[in-house]
Amino acid sequence: MGLAKKAEEAAVEEAEGAKEAKEAREEREREERMRRLEERVKACRKCELWSLRRNAVVGEGSLLADVMFIGEAPGYYEDLKGRPFVGKAGKVLDELLASVHLERKDVYICNVLKCRPPKNRDPKPEEIESCTPFLDEQIEIIQPKVIATLGNYSLQYIFSKFNMKAEKISKIHGRIFTVETLNGTLKIIPLYHPAVAIYNSAMREVLFEDFKVLPKLLSEQHNKRERG
């Protein structure tokens, strides 16, 4: 092997090592920020829901994820275990992820509300107002390239946050919307909440079809990083 070839390979290895070190440092920083956020969520008393919960449900998954899924609020099992999407809707979400060759560890999953509304009622406007600063901070920490909203409440909030007019989810589900942020280009995909497949089996096909857009977007992000 020539000296030039050896030098080239050494340079590649050095660049890869520097990239891995940067990612590790970035992940540690994000973990610390998320830890502090979780402490604030658990101490939050801004609305009545804190007094009714068993556990606050902040979120879980990779803090370096390209895709962030945002649901509505914790349900019974989420409140019991302190984790998002671990009930029947969670099983559907796991199936959807598997259908596009993703696992929970590859993405980040959270909700608009961090505490369960009693009897799984809809979130109240004042609860959303109190809780969404935590969600905003999660988005800032993760810096996702893709946000997939699950259901109407997350759709309405995310579109409002980025100054977009939200139509009915029945009209725009599965479509890709692009916004420019301080952290770069962000893709937003409105999706039905996985729970719809529990109550209406015909919606399973719609959900699985809508999820097919994710591999294409992730491939585009990977190619951008490779070129960068």
Side-chain angles (χ1 to χ4, degrees), residues 5 10 15-16 21 29 62 87 114 130 134 146 153 185 200 225:
K5 183 65 174 178
E16 289 177 349
E29 292 172 353
S62 171
K114 309 308 180 192
S130 295
F134 295 128
V146 180
Y153 282 92
T185 302
N200 183 354
R225 280 198 297 268

Side-chain angles (χ1 to χ4, degrees), residues 14-218:
E14 184 178 354
E16 289 177 349
K19 180 181 178 183
E20 290 176 0
K22 179 182 178 182
E23 289 180 349
R25 183 171 62 254
E26 187 174 321
E27 186 168 19
R28 288 194 299 271
E29 292 172 353
R30 294 186 186 192
E31 285 174 352
E32 178 59 24
R33 291 180 64 187
M34 191 65 76
R35 184 190 64 78
R36 293 197 299 266
L37 183 145
E38 288 178 359
E39 289 178 352
R40 295 202 307 275
V41 171
K42 292 174 182 177
C44 180
R45 302 291 187 269
K46 293 180 181 177
C47 73
E48 66 172 4
L49 295 182
W50 75 270
S51 63
L52 306 172
R53 73 188 183 205
R54 290 186 179 91
N55 291 289
V57 183
V58 181
E60 71 175 23
S62 171
L63 301 186
L64 299 174
D66 283 337
V67 183
M68 185 174 187
F69 289 92
I70 304 175
E72 176 180 305
Y76 173 82
Y77 290 103
E78 290 75 19
D79 177 59
L80 193 65
K81 298 183 178 181
R83 297 177 55 211
F85 284 89
V86 291
K88 291 181 179 180
K91 291 180 180 179
V92 176
L93 179 59
D94 288 343
E95 292 177 21
L96 291 164
L97 289 171
S99 74
V100 293
H101 308 292
L102 289 173
E103 299 179 38
R104 283 179 177 250
K105 66 180 179 62
D106 302 318
V107 301
Y108 190 82
I109 306 170
C110 62
N111 287 297
V112 172
L113 297 190
K114 309 308 180 192
C115 300
R116 180 196 179 202
K119 298 182 180 179
N120 293 350
R121 62 158 170 75
D122 290 340
K124 294 179 180 179
E126 61 269 25
E127 293 165 353
I128 295 174
E129 182 178 359
S130 295
C131 216
T132 45
F134 295 128
L135 175 59
D136 291 343
E137 189 170 347
Q138 286 176 294
I139 294 172
E140 179 61 29
I141 292 171
I142 304 297
Q143 296 182 26
K145 302 298 185 294
V146 180
I147 288 180
T149 62
L150 301 174
N152 190 55
Y153 282 92
S154 58
L155 163 63
Q156 294 294 329
Y157 179 72
I158 291 300
F159 269 55
S160 173
K161 173 179 173 63
F162 292 104
N163 298 313
M164 301 164 63
K165 182 179 179 181
E167 299 182 57
K168 291 182 178 179
I169 193 169
S170 59
K171 292 184 177 181
I172 61 175
H173 66 91
R175 287 173 52 186
I176 301 171
F177 296 82
T178 303
V179 296
E180 295 299 328
T181 74
L182 294 176
N183 294 321
T185 302
L186 174 65
K187 305 290 186 179
I188 300 173
I189 309 172
L191 299 170
Y192 282 108
H193 194 284
V196 301
I198 300 170
Y199 308 112
N200 183 354
S201 58
M203 291 300 296
R204 284 181 61 89
E205 184 176 347
V206 176
L207 277 165
F208 278 88
E209 188 63 31
D210 285 350
F211 256 68
K212 290 180 181 179
V213 73
L214 287 172
K216 178 183 177 182
L217 288 178
L218 292 176

